[in-house]
Each structure stands twice: as structure tokens, then as C-alpha cells.
């Protein structure tokens, strides 16, 4: 009987199984070729690992699908049930036939790989035995699960999708590491390289999964005299399939969206000076060990931030961590946003006497507002207000007393920026403007306009504007579209002042001119760029970019910034661009030292540091299309 | 025509379920954007609805339904009885599916386009209607290709799904072996490449994929016209045949027998060359030797060279253990028979491969063994957690191994060289921590070796602050903290340092200060380094990178070439001090090269960033360059001349025309053909 049964299965499914096995073998072969083409030093076991993992699952899936699902879908199990055999016996025979085939595939791989590597002295008998055990246990687990799935008939695909999503969920949202357990661990990167102890736990779990799944299969086949399996085996309509796919995808999206991420240790700054109160938490630590001023700075920063939060009507700002870094240029402040709104890290060489400490406050408030708004303030209409508010708050005395040098530097920056060209449209195209003049000049320009508004229309008008734009949290949905239009700073300013924005900007620019004469001498000492980048064609396709620059007064060095971009790239930061430093000379032809190609789009700028402005001044960044 | 229209309408009516499903998906996507995010803060480069592999599966799912629905609804006889040619019935089915999917694609893309326009961060970003039209055209083409391919596979009925899966797998692997095949991949039709401000329509790829899809569609149509059941019937008859299983297996083994000789040379030609200490054509048996800590394997003929290393191996292990202050406790298998191209050694978990042929002295062998043993220690101490996230951790893995190597067996000159190269990279802003932890960007833009140099300096800073045991403590903290698994990039490293009780910022500060001090000390040397502007030229189907200006005498040109950032780099064949011959063909759209300078006296090499040079308009190598090449000789980097390759060697040797030599030698680019010049 058993022989006849086996003959019947072979005759019925032999071709399909042979095709599937052949394709699986092809997968192993091609994957091994691919692995070896990347790393010829791999042995056959290591090269075939990835392909074997897929191949065994494919074979197990096809074999179990033919032996179980096909039988129940076409209701031919009724003929088998008419035979003088128990249902369990029938299912066990099917399970045995399939398992034997899958194990034979795994065994064949082991044997062939061993034959190929028979002269490899690193492959000892014990090691090959371990590899064989891993393969066979993996094959058992894969077949057991696939065989069980076969009994779920039309629900097997939704179950597979749901199980896969559940495993992804476990891996992502809990500390359980799915890939280090059972069959996954058997065929991971330690396969073919681990010569130590056998992976006994993974072997046992895999065998248990395989055997357990086969046992459940027998149970399922015998339940209610097999009627449950027969019912599940009926074909699913396409409408039903669509329903399940949509339901699972939507359900999984909802579960993933609703479940919080894995809890993790909150960020801490060891031995930091703390300051808390007024909805603000500040930690300050100088990493170079110059800790005398930390507590004072923490307290002063907290007071200023709390004042700003009050002015903006914000109950609580994200925590701020300040680290003193003596490796940074005193003209620089670096900022990092911690994930999940955990806070803002501000880095700067604040104990250095050349460091402008108002920068700590500006950077901290700017980025705390970004976190508070969920990144919303980066949209172009509000970006200038975000950039300018922190500096405005400092210059208007909101963050405490400031010295005249800071005020003068601000005025100098604005005049310098004005000379580069400034209009009302620049506030509408703020990203492009910042890209052109740089962050520091942009900040000064925006702050200056706010100071002008304060002077002409009163502090309350600026505070109201900032509260509406910076202090509120815009709903994270379609309402943001209406809010963007309704609460655009330009519109709010025009509504509050009853004047056009263009007229206000013209007033402001005229007022700036009045401040020029006392600063004229200092302004004349700041390097100014004249010239433009030039595209040199070398043949049909090669392009070189050179700068014909005339610089006066002459700085020590010139920095050339460049980056190849695609035209859809949003705002660029000079921090991440490629840079070439050159010794400055009176009239120079500076070369980027790289060849570009026709059709590329390249952002370029030439800059030099100005001590008077305590920032970089530049020729004006631009995006060049290389024709 | 009216018959075609009527049949198309009928098919469209039957496709209503799918239309509702697609509308639900598109609607859900749009609604979730409108309800759960800022609709005007979206990235504008989202692919089409069906661009991913899941899109192809979905198209196949629909097509399979359309192909089988006359069977399912038992309307087949009725349809065939109509006075309409079968080809019209087939075209009506295809047209209905294409219409539905293209319409869905257009709807999806239009919604996405609106979001993209709302989200435009700068008015300078070109998102005009032309952009949308071009994108729509390419997406529609892709969808049409998918439909044709799907109709072909649907003809195989039940075998269709496994065949689709198998073909995708086979194609992916074949394309990896032979990258030229990627042009036939319909999944990669939609690409965001620009010529100036315009999205490029990849006509070559469109014709290739369109031709393939159309061919498959025609086959599917022919089978349908002949008799829809022909294939199914034939398959059924074949399946019932007594010999079917044996025939399938025979067919498989025959294909493999054919495939191996075809794919083998392909892979050999396109892939990296194996670096083996065993000369080509010679096969020496390998022998095994065991020490307390290592299990060695090496070619029998190398016994004399291997013996000193075997003797010193356990001492190397002890030295590495002393640096870590911990024991890995693993038996390390070492194969001295070869390593991946461009490497002296590689490590996979506790198995090490070393290219013995590249190590002339015992000191060099010990250095490499220490480096690779350090990798084993890192993997074991961190419980493979750094191996799992190699993209974030490559700099630390390689840097720590480099640190251990130099601590144990490095000379002061090597340490000095590492510091100098690091200072140059720092001056070029390639040493930033954000870049170090972004391995994908580092290997895309810069020399992969930067990770060793800069990682070594980073570990030096870590040890300088927290002591010799700090690396091991950090690795153990990474192994012990399960919540680190979900973190990426800077968040991971911040959390890992915190778990070990360290301050990441302190280490970064020390690292940067050290590099800045080195930069200031080396300012003049750094300023004197030449710019490496170059252009790509083509001759005899080979590509050459020609330097705009010659290098100074004391420096030697080095170059690396690759097809794309996904492919491994190959060393280019340098000619004189101005030309690099690419050893392999260019990629689909461009040739990527990185030029470097080497100081033979001091023993350092620095590569410039990778350049992605489009090959669409490459000019031929001009006469002056040819003459230049002829006069200079061809240096393979090992003091030898490359004058001929393979069977042409003899012919070239007899030929007095040195230009012909170069054409044969350098143009073929076979480094193996280079021979040492007579003393």
C-alpha cells in the first residue's frame, strides 16, 4: 500500500516537483556564482548559503502545496479517504514523502559542496557534520511550516503575510531578536564559518518547529473527520483575496502606527551642570574639562530660553544639551536633533573668549522651535521668521544684556548682506536666499527686519507674529495647508500694519542706509568678492569650473564649495559640501580641481572668513547647469 | 473596431473589482497623507504605483485573473463563437488591463505631483508639467511592459507564479554576474536622472525592455490565437507522461552543463580577478596545520614561507588579546590561499582568508594576521552586533583592526603615514564623524580605505581618553544592550557610548583636534598636493582616464575604476603619470573613477573623490594622447611594462611599432599580461 501510495504521489506531482527542484538548484547555482564573483576565496558551503536558504523554502513550499493544497482544492482527498487507511496515516505518509524530498535536497547540497571542497583542509569531518545538521534541521523546519500552511488552503497566503508582518513587528518593536533564533540562526552568517560548539539550541528549536508543525497538520487533517481541512481547501475568489490583502495591509499599518517604538535609555550628558524651570531643561558640560562656567551658562541659557518660551506662549520646550568642544572653531556652533523629540544637542567652544555665547541661545532656541513644531517651520514662508527670531530676541534684549560688539556685528552683517542685493522677494524665496548668502548673513537679515518692525509698529506686533507662527503647533494633517496660507508671516505683517510687505521692506532698507556711516570704515575692511564662476568646456562632454575672482581686501584663504546635485534637491548646507581651500591672491583664477560632465547641475560658491563679521562671506552660492 | 471596443468594454467591466481595489489603495495613500502628515512636506521623487517588484506581482495577479476569467465564468465558448478574430479578443484583454493600470498610475502620479508642488522647498526646483509628463510617460511604459510580460507568464497557468519568481531570481543573479543585462530589467525603468534640469527619458532602456516585453507579449498572443489551451494541454500531456520527471531533470542538468561554461567566463570577465598565490594553471594541494589558536590551510608548495608564520601565529593572537585585554576564545580558521580583490585579507565571522602572495616578509604576514584576528575579536566581543550593522559600523570595525595592527606590528613610519593621510582627508572635510558612520556615502563618494585610516585615528582618540580597555568595553556594551538594535547612525553610536559609560562627543573632539593639529603641521605638504582634474576618453571599446596635467616627478598616479557605486572597484592600469586604462567595461550610463597619488618614498596613497563620468558623449583618445602613451611606457604599478596580452604577445613582440604594443597591452588592460622590465 505504501509503495503504491508513493507511486501515486510521484506520478501526480513528480513533474512539478522536478521543475521546482531544478529551479531551486538553479537559484543555488547562480547565487553561488554571484557570491564567488564577488569573493573567490569563499568555499562552496559559504557561497551556496544564501541560495540554499531560498531554495529549500521554495522546494518545501511547492512540494507541500502539491501534496496537500492541490489534493484538498481538487477534492481528490476523498478518493484517498476511501482507501483502507486512517487519515492520520495518509497525512503522515504525505508528510514523510515531502520531508524525504526536502531533506534529500539539503543532503544533496551537502554532498555536492563536500565533493567540491574535498581537498579543502579546513573542512574537517566534524565541521561538515555540523553543516549537514544545520541544513537538515533548517529543511525540517521549513517543510513542517509549509506543510501545515497547505492545510490552511485558501487562507495560507494571508497567514503567511500576517506571520511575516508579526515577525517584523517582533523584531522592530520588541527586544526579541527573531534573526538569532531557530532556523534563522542556523543559516545566518555563522554558517560555514563557525567551528566552535554546535548551535544546539537553534537545532532543537528548528526540529521542534518542524515536528510540531507536522503534528498540528495531522491534527488539522483529522479534525471533524477532515471536513475542516476540506472546507479550508476550497478556492478563494479574487474578491475575497483582495479583501484579505487590503485588510491585512491596512490592519498592519494601523498596528505599526499605533504601537510605540521600543523603549530605550534616554540621552544623558554625564557630569553636566543642570538648570530646570519655566518649561525648560538645560544641561551644560564642557568636554575639555573647563567646567568653571558651566553652571552659570546653564542657568543663563535656561533663563533666556524660558523668557523666549513665555514670549511665544510655549508651555514646554524640548530639553537642550550643551557640550563644550575645544576642537570646534569659536565661530562655529554645531547642532544635532535627538530622535523622537528627545532634545537638542548644541556644541560649541563656549569657554573660549572668542566665542559669542549668544550663539548658544540662538542655536538652541532655533532648533528647539523646530522640534516643537515637528519640522513644520522649515516651509519657505515661515523659514525666515524662524531664522531671524532667535537673533532678534537677543538683539532686542529679551535674552538679557548684550555687549555692543554683538550688536555692531549684527549691523555690519546686515549692511554687508544688503550690498550683495536684497529685496522683498528674497523673503518669499528664503531657501534660495540662504543658499546664496549663507546661514549667518541670512539670520542677521531676518533679525534686522524684525527689529525694524518692532521699532516701527511696537514690540507687541512682533511678539504676536512670532506667537502665531512659531509658538503654535500646526495640526499634522490637511489643515496645515490652510494654516500655511492663513498664517504666512507676509500676510500677517500686511494685515497688522495695513501696508504692503514690499513697502515695509523698502522702508527698512532705507533705514539701514542711515546706519551705514558709523560702520563704513569697518565695512570697508571686510573682503568683497567680484567675479563669477566660469564653465570651461574641454571637448564635447568634459566641463571644468573655475572662478575668476577679484578680492579686496585680501583674506588669507579662499574656500571653494561645490556639490553635484540633482535639480530636485532641496535646500543645501555648506556643512556637507565638498570644499577646496586655496591661499588667496589678489586676482586669481581658482580651479575646483575636478572635471564635471555636460548636463550636470553643480552648486558652487567661493567664500572667505571675515573676522569683523565672525562668519564667512561669499561670492554668492549658485546652481550651475553645465551646458 | 467595434468588436474590439465592445470586447474591451466587457473586459473593463470585469475589471471593476481591481479598479475598486486600486482606487482604495490610491485613496488610502492620499488620505493618509492628508490626515496623518503635512501634505506640503513631501519628497518629490516617489516612484510610480507599480514600479517596485510588488507592483509587478500585482500586475501579474490582475492579468492572471483576466486571462482565466473566461474559463472561470464559463464564457470562453461564447466569446470564441463571436465573429471576431481571436487576436482581437487578445488585444482587447491587453488594452483593458493597460488602460486600467495606466489610468491608476496617472491618478496616483497626479496626486503625488500635487503634493510635490506643494512641498517644493524652493522656487528653483523644476517641477513643471513637462516633468510630470516625462515621468508619466516612463511609468506608463513600464506598466505596459509589465502587462505584456504578465500575459506571457499567465499562459503557463498554475506554473506561472513559480515561474515568475524563479525568473526574477534568475534574472537578478544573472544581472549581478553580467551587469550589461540590467538594461533588460523592467523594474529599473523609472530612474531619476537629469540632463540639466530635465528628467532624462532613458530611450535605450525603454527600447530594450519594450522589445523584450513586446516579444513575450507576441508569444503570449500567438499561443492564445492558436489555441488558449494549447500550452495548458501540452503541459498537461507532458505532466502525465511517464518520462516527464526524468525529462525535466535531464533538461535541467543539460541547461546547467550549458550554463556553466557560458556564465563562468562571463563572471570571470566582469567580476574581480581572484587574487591567489597559486599561479594560474597550477593546482597545488592544500595542507592543514593546527596551532593552539588557529587552523591554517595553505598550498603545499608554500610550506617554507608559511612555516615561520605558523610558528608565530599564537604569539600574534596573544598580542592582539593583550591590546583588547579580553579573549575572543574562538578557534580561527585561516586560509592562506587568497582573498577578495583589492584586499590583503578578509574575515567572515571566525574564518580568515589571506592572500599570501602579497606578503613578502614575515612582518607583513604578521601584520595582516593581527588585523584579521582583530576583526574576529570585534565580532565575538560585540556578539556580531557590529557585523549586523556594517553600514554604520564599518569605520569602527576596520579602524579598530587597523589600530590593533599598528599597535602590535606597525612601524613608526606607518603610524606617521596614517596620521598624514588622515590630516589630508580632514583638510578636505572627508573626516567628519557624520561621514564616517555613513558607509554607503563613504564608499559612494570616497576611497573605501578612508575607513581604515580615519577609523584608526578615531580608535586612537577613544583609547587616549578612556584607556586601553575602552574598545573591548564598548564592544561588550553593544553586545549587552538589546535596545540598540533599533537605532541607526549617530543615535546608535551615541547610545552605544552611553551604554559603555563613555561620551561620544569627547572622543569626536579629541579625534578632530588631533587631525586639525596634524593638518596645521602638514599645511604646506597638503597645499602642494596636485589637483587631479581629468577627462574620460575611449578607444577600441576601452575607456581611459586622462589627467589634465602631469603629476610632479616624486608622485605616482594611481587610479580605481568601477561600473557603479554598487560594484567593487578595480585597480586601473596606469600609464606614465597621466593616463589610467580602465580594466573593465563602463557601467550602463557612466564610468566611475577615482584618481590618487602615491608617494613611493614615504609609502602613502591618497585618492580623490569618485567621479561619475557619463559615457554618452565620450570623445576618442586623440593623436597627441596616443603619442604620449607610446613614449611613456606602461607602468602596472609594479615597475613593469605592459606590452602584450595573451596570444597577441608573440605577435606584438615581433612588431617594432610600439603603438601597436600599447594597443594590444594597455587597451586590453590585462594586468596579468604585464611582465617585469629587464634590469
Amino acid at each position: 500500500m505504501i509503495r503504491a501510495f508513493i507511486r501515486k504521489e510521484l506520478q501526480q506531482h513528480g513533474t512539478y516537483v522536478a521543475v521546482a527542484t531544478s529551479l531551486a538548484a538553479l537559484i543555488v547555482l547562480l547565487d553561488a556564482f554571484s557570491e564567488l564573483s564577488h569573493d573567490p576565496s569563499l568555499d562552496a558551503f559559504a557561497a551556496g548559503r544564501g541560495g540554499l536558504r531560498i531554495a529549500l523554502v521554495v522546494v518545501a513550499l511547492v512540494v507541500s502545496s502539491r501534496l496537500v493544497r492541490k489534493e484538498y482544492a481538487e477534492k481528490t482527498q476523498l478518493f484517498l479517504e476511501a482507501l483502507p487507511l486512517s487519515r492520520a496515516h495518509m497525512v503522515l505518509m504525505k508528510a514523510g514523502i515531502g520531508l524525504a524530498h526536502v531533506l534529500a535536497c539539503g543532503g544533496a547540497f551537502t554532498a555536492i559542496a563536500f565533493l567540491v571542497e574535498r581537498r579543502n583542509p579546513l573542512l574537517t569531518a566534524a565541521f561538515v557534520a555540523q553543516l549537514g545538521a544545520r541544513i537538515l534541521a533548517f529543511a525540517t523546519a521549513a517543510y513542517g511550516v509549509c506543510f501545515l500552511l497547505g492545510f490552511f488552503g485558501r487562507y495560507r497566503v494571508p497567514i503567511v503575510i500576517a506571520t511575516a508582518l508579526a515577525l517584523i513587528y517582533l523584531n522592530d518593536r520588541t527586544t526579541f531578536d527573531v534573526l538569532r533564533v531557530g532556523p534563522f540562526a542556523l543559516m545566518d552568517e555563522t554558517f560555514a564559518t563557525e567551528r566552535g560548539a554546535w548551535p544546539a539550541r537553534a537545532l532543537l528549536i528548528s526540529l521542534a518547529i518542524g515536528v510540531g508543525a507536522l503534528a498540528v497538520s495531522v491534527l488539522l487533517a483529522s479534525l471533524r473527520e477532515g471536513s475542516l481541512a476540506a472546507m479550508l481547501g476550497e478556492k478563494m475568489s479574487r474578491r475575497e483575496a483582495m479583501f484579505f490583502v487590503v485588510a491585512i495591509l491596512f490592519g498592519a499599518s494601523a498596528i505599526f502606527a499605533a504601537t510605540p517604538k521600543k523603549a530605550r535609555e534616554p540621552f544623558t550628558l554625564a557630569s553636566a551642570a543642570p538648570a530646570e524651570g519655566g518649561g525648560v531643561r538645560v544641561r551644560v558640560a564642557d568636554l575639555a574639562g573647563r567646567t568653571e562656567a558651566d553652571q552659570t551658562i546653564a542657568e543663563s541659557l535656561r533663563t533666556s530660553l524660558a523668557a523666549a518660551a513665555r514670549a511665544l506662549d510655549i508651555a514646554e520646550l524640548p530639553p537642550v544639551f550643551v557640550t563644550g568642544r575645544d576642537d570646534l572653531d569659536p565661530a562655529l556652533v554645531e547642532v544635532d536633533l535627538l530622535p523622537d523629540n528627545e532634545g537638542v544637542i548644541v556644541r560649541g567652544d563656549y569657554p573660549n573668549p572668542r566665542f559669542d555665547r549668544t550663539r548658544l541661545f540662538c542655536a538652541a532656541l532655533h532648533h528647539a522651535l523646530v522640534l516643537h513644531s515637528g519640522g513644520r517651520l522649515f516651509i519657505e514662508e515661515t523659514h525666515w521668521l524662524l531664522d531671524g527670531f532667535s537673533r532678534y530676541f537677543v538683539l532686542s534684549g529679551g535674552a538679557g544684556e548684550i555687549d555692543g560688539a554683538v550688536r555692531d556685528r549684527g549691523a555690519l552683517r546686515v549692511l554687508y548682506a544688503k550690498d550683495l542685493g536684497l529685496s522683498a522677494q528674497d523673503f518669499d524665496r528664503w531657501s534660495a536666499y540662504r543658499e546664496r548668502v549663507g546661514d549667518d548673513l541670512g539670520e542677521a537679515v531676518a533679525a534686522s527686519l524684525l527689529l525694524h518692525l518692532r521699532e516701527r509698529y511696537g514690540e507687541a506686533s512682533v511678539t504676536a507674529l512670532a506667537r502665531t507662527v512659531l509658538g503654535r503647533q500646526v495640526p499634522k494633517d490637511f489643515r496645515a495647508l490652510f494654516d500655511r496660507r492663513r498664517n504666512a508671516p507676509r500676510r500677517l505683517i500686511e494685515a497688522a500694519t495695513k501696508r504692503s510687505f514690499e513697502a515695509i521692506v523698502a522702508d527698512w532698507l532705507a533705514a539701514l542706509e542711515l546706519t551705514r556711516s558709523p560702520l563704513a570704515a569697518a565695512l570697508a575692511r571686510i573682503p568683497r568678492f567680484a567675479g563669477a564662476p566660469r564653465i570651461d568646456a574641454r571637448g564635447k562632454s568634459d566641463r571644468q569650473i573655475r572662478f575668476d575672482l577679484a578680492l579686496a581686501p585680501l583674506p588669507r584663504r579662499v574656500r571653494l564649495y561645490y556639490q553635484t546635485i540633482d535639480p530636485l534637491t532641496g535646500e543645501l548646507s555648506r556643512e556637507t559640501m565638498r570644499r577646496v581651500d586655496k591661499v588667496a591672491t589678489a586676482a586669481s583664477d581658482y580651479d575646483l580641481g575636478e572635471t564635471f560632465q555636460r548636463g550636470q547641475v553643480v552648486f558652487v560658491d567661493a567664500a572667505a572668513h571675515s573676522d569683523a563679521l565672525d562668519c564667512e562671506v561669499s561670492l554668492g552660492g549658485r546652481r550651475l547647469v553645465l551646458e | 473596431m467595434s468588436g474590439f471596443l465592445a470586447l474591451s468594454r466587457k473586459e473593463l467591466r470585469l475589471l471593476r473589482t481591481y479598479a475598486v481595489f486600486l482606487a482604495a489603495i490610491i485613496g488610502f495613500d492620499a488620505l493618509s497623507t492628508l490626515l496623518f502628515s503635512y501634505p506640503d512636506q513631501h519628497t518629490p521623487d516617489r516612484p510610480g504605483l507599480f514600479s517596485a517588484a510588488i507592483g509587478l506581482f500585482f500586475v501579474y495577479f490582475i492579468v492572471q485573473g483576466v486571462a482565466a476569467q473566461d474559463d472561470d465564468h464559463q464564457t470562453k465558448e461564447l466569446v470564441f463563437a463571436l465573429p471576431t478574430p481571436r487576436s482581437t479578443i487578445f488585444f482587447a484583454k491587453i488594452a483593458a488591463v493597460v488602460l486600467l493600470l495606466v489610468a491608476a498610475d496617472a491618478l496616483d502620479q497626479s496626486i503625488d505631483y500635487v503634493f510635490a508642488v506643494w512641498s517644493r522647498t524652493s522656487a528653483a526646483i523644476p517641477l513643471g508639467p513637462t516633468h510630470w509628463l516625462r515621468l508619466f510617460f516612463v511609468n506608463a511604459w513600464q506598466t505596459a511592459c509589465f502587462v505584456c510580460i504578465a500575459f506571457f507568464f499567465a499562459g503557463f497557468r498554475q506554473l506561472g507564479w513559480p515561474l515568475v519568481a524563479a525568473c526574477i531570481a534568475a534574472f537578478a543573479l544573472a544581472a549581478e554576474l553580467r551587469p550589461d543585462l540590467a538594461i533588460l530589467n523592467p523594474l529599473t525603468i523609472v530612474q531619476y536622472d537629469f540632463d540639466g534640469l530635465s528628467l532624462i527619458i532613458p530611450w535605450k532602456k525603454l527600447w530594450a525592455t519594450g522589445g523584450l516585453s513586446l516579444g513575450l507579449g507576441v508569444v503570449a498572443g500567438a499561443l492564445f490565437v492558436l489555441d488558449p489551451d494549447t500550452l495548458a494541454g501540452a503541459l498537461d500531456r507532458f505532466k502525465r507522461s511517464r518520462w516527464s520527471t526524468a525529462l525535466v531533470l535531464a533538461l535541467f542538468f543539460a541547461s546547467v552543463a550549458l550554463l556553466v561554461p557560458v556564465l563562468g567566463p562571463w563572471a570571470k570577465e566582469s567580476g574581480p580577478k581572484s587574487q591567489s598565490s597559486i599561479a594560474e594553471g597550477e593546482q597545488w594541494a592544500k595542507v592543514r596545520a593546527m596551532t593552539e589558536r588557529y587552523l591554517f590551510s595553505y598550498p603545499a608548495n608554500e610550506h617554507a614561507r608559511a612555516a615561520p608564520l605558523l610558528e608565530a601565529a599564537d604569539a600574534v593572537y596573544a598580542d592582539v588579546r593583550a591590546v583588547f585585554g579580553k579573549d575572543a576564545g574562538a578557534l580561527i580558521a585561516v586560509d592562506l590561499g587568497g582573498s577578495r580583490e583589492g584586499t590583503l585579507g578578509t574575515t567572515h565571522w571566525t574564518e580568515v582568508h589571506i592572500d599570501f602572495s602579497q606578503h613578502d616578509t614575515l612582518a607583513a604576514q604578521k601584520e595582516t594576521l593581527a588585523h584579521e584576528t582583530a576583526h574576529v575579536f570585534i565580532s565575538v566581543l560585540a556578539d556580531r552586533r557590529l557585523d549586523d550593522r556594517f553600514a554604520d559600523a564599518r569605520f569602527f570595525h576596520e579602524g579598530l583592526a587597523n589600530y590593533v595592527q599598528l599597535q602590535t606590528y606597525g612601524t613608526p613610519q606607518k603610524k606617521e603615514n596614517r596620521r598624514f593621510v588622515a590630516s589630508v582627508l580632514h583638510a578636505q572635510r572627508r573626516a567628519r564623524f557624520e561621514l564616517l558612520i555613513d558607509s554607503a556615502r563613504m564608499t559612494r563618494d570616497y576611497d573605501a580605505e578612508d575607513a581604515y585610516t580615519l577609523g584608526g585615528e578615531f580608535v586612537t582618540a577613544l583609547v587616549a581618553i578612556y584607556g586601553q580597555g575602552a574598545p573591548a568595553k564598548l564592544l561588550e556594551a553593544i553586545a549587552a544592550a538589546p535596545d540598540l538594535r533599533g537605532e541607526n547612525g549617530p543615535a546608535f553610536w551615541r547610545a552605544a557610548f552611553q551604554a559603555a559609560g563613555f561620551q561620544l562627543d569627547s572622543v569626536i573632539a579629541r579625534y578632530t583636534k588631533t587631525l586639525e593639529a596634524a593638518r596645521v603641521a602638514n599645511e604646506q605638504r597638503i597645499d602642494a598636493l596636485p589637483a587631479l582634474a581629468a577627462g574620460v576618453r575611449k578607444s577600441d571599446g576601452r575607456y581611459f582616464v586622462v589627467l589634465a596635467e602631469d603629476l610632479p616627478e616624486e608622485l605616482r598616479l594611481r587610479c580605481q575604476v568601477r561600473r557603479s557605486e554598487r560594484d567593487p572597484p578595480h585597480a586601473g592600469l596606469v600609464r606614465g603619470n597621466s593616463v589610467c586604462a580602465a580594466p573593465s567595461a563602463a557601467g550602463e550610463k557612466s564610468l566611475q573613477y577615482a584618481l590618487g597619488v602615491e608617494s613611493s618614498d614615504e609609502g602613502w596613497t591618497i585618492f580623490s573623490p569618485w567621479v561619475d563620468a557619463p559615457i554618452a558623449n565620450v570623445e576618442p583618445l586623440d593623436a597627441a594622447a596616443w603619442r604620449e602613451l607610446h613614449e611613456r611606457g606602461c607602468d602596472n604599478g609594479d615597475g613593469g611594462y605592459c606590452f602584450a596580452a595573451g596570444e597577441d604577445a608573440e605577435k606584438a613582440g615581433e612588431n617594432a611599432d610600439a603603438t601597436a604594443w600599447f594597443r594590444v597591452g594597455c587597451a586590453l588592460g590585462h594586468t596579468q599580461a604585464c611582465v617585469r622590465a629587464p634590469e
Side-chain angles (χ1 to χ4, degrees), chain A residues 423-442:
Chain A
S423 70
Q425 280 70 44
D426 288 325
F427 291 88
D428 298 333
R429 298 180 169 193
W430 189 249
S431 299
Y433 180 72
R434 262 167 55 110
E435 210 173 273
R436 185 151 57 87
V437 301
D439 298 353
D440 291 315
L441 293 189

Side-chain angles (χ1 to χ4, degrees), chain B residues 402 406-407 410-424 453 457 460 514-515 517-519 521-523 525-526 601-606:
Chain B
N402 181 273
L406 291 192
Q407 282 298 109
T411 59
Q413 176 68 45
K414 285 194 173 180
K415 288 180 187 170
E416 169 58 31
N417 283 348
R418 187 182 72 189
R419 179 77 34 105
F420 171 65
V421 174
S423 71
V424 175
T453 311
E457 291 296 336
T460 307
T514 311
L515 297 191
R519 185 195 69 77
N522 292 309
E523 194 163 14
R525 284 170 78 191
I526 295 171
D601 299 341
E602 294 172 23
W604 49 258
T605 306
I606 300 166

Side-chain angles (χ1 to χ4, degrees), chain A residues 442-465:
Chain A
E443 179 197 81
V445 165
S448 173
L449 178 62
L450 290 175
L451 284 170
H452 172 77
L453 289 173
R454 175 174 177 262
E455 200 174 298
R456 289 293 165 90
Y457 306 101
E459 187 171 354
S461 65
V462 178
T463 307
L465 172 71

Side-chain angles (χ1 to χ4, degrees), chain B residues 86-414:
Chain B
R86 286 187 180 181
S87 57
T88 308
I89 300 170
F90 182 73
F91 283 129
K93 282 179 186 288
I94 281 205
V97 178
V98 170
L99 189 67
L100 171 72
L101 298 184
V102 169
D105 219 351
L107 177 65
D108 178 64
Q109 229 166 282
S110 302
I111 293 171
D112 194 48
Y113 177 70
V114 171
F115 289 144
V117 172
W118 284 344
S119 310
R120 180 159 44 178
T121 51
S122 165
I125 294 177
L127 275 173
T130 319
H131 176 81
W132 182 89
L133 273 175
R134 281 170 176 259
L135 201 57
F136 170 69
F137 171 70
V138 178
N139 268 316
W141 186 286
Q142 185 184 43
T143 306
C145 287
F146 281 178
V147 173
C148 289
I149 294 169
F151 265 99
F152 171 77
F153 284 108
F156 290 90
R157 303 280 169 90
Q158 294 152 323
L159 273 181
W161 277 111
L163 262 182
V164 169
C167 285
I168 286 177
F171 182 79
L173 294 169
E176 199 165 321
L177 290 171
R178 190 73 194 177
D180 321 24
L181 292 176
I183 197 167
L184 293 171
N185 185 358
L187 286 170
T188 56
I189 289 178
V190 183
Q191 287 173 356
Y192 280 80
D193 292 324
F194 289 84
D195 181 15
L197 301 179
S198 316
L199 188 75
I200 293 175
I201 296 182
W203 288 110
K204 208 168 143 191
K205 193 170 182 72
L206 292 192
W207 290 128
T209 48
L212 175 74
S213 311
L214 195 65
L216 293 176
V218 167
V219 174
L223 285 172
F224 186 86
V225 169
L226 288 174
D227 182 353
D229 290 331
T230 304
L231 185 62
L235 280 173
D236 201 44
R237 279 194 298 281
F238 174 68
K239 191 183 76 181
R240 288 177 199 285
S241 142
R242 175 184 288 215
W243 302 104
S244 59
T245 310
L247 266 171
V248 166
L249 290 175
L251 196 67
F252 168 71
F253 286 113
S255 332
V256 171
L258 282 172
L259 210 60
V260 170
V262 175
L263 278 182
W266 265 15
K268 208 173 171 186
E269 187 196 320
S270 62
K273 310 293 175 285
S274 167
Q275 291 187 349
S276 168
S277 56
I278 304 168
E280 213 166 304
E282 288 178 283
Q283 280 294 330
W284 292 90
K286 284 187 179 176
V287 291
R288 182 169 59 204
M290 183 112 176
T291 70
E292 192 188 335
R293 292 297 186 175
Y294 297 93
L295 175 64
F296 279 97
S297 134
Y298 55 92
N301 62 322
E302 296 277 14
H303 180 72
R305 281 180 69 207
L309 179 64
L310 266 55
E311 209 164 294
D314 286 335
V316 171
Y317 186 95
D319 289 341
V320 173
R321 186 178 51 200
V323 175
F324 277 95
K326 299 272 177 185
D327 193 356
L331 176 68
I332 302 172
V334 184
D335 175 12
L336 297 177
S339 176
R340 198 166 51 208
E341 192 198 11
T343 60
L344 295 172
T346 43
T347 302
H348 307 277
W349 182 224
T350 55
E351 190 170 300
V352 171
H353 296 268
I354 292 177
D355 182 8
F356 214 42
S357 66
Q358 292 192 64
H359 297 78
D360 295 333
T361 61
L362 177 63
Q365 293 163 11
K366 283 163 75 176
E367 226 182 289
T368 303
L369 185 62
H371 181 102
E372 302 306 331
T373 303
H375 278 305
V376 175
F377 269 71
I378 296 166
S379 297
V380 171
L381 292 176
D383 191 21
R384 289 186 283 132
R385 296 293 176 194
L386 289 187
D387 306 17
D388 292 346
R389 51 171 61 253
F390 206 60
D392 296 336
R394 181 169 173 265
F395 86 97
F396 193 78
H397 227 301
E398 296 298 359
L400 182 49
N402 181 273
Y403 169 82
V404 171
Q405 168 191 348
L406 291 192
Q407 282 298 109
T408 48
Y409 300 105
T411 59
Q413 176 68 45
K414 285 194 173 180

Side-chain angles (χ1 to χ4, degrees), chain B residues 22-45:
Chain B
L22 284 171
I25 292 280
I26 295 168
F28 174 75
D29 189 33
L31 269 180
S32 63
T33 305
L34 285 169
L35 295 177
F36 304 113
S37 67
Y38 292 124
D40 52 353
Q41 281 182 291
H42 260 240
T43 49
D45 53 355

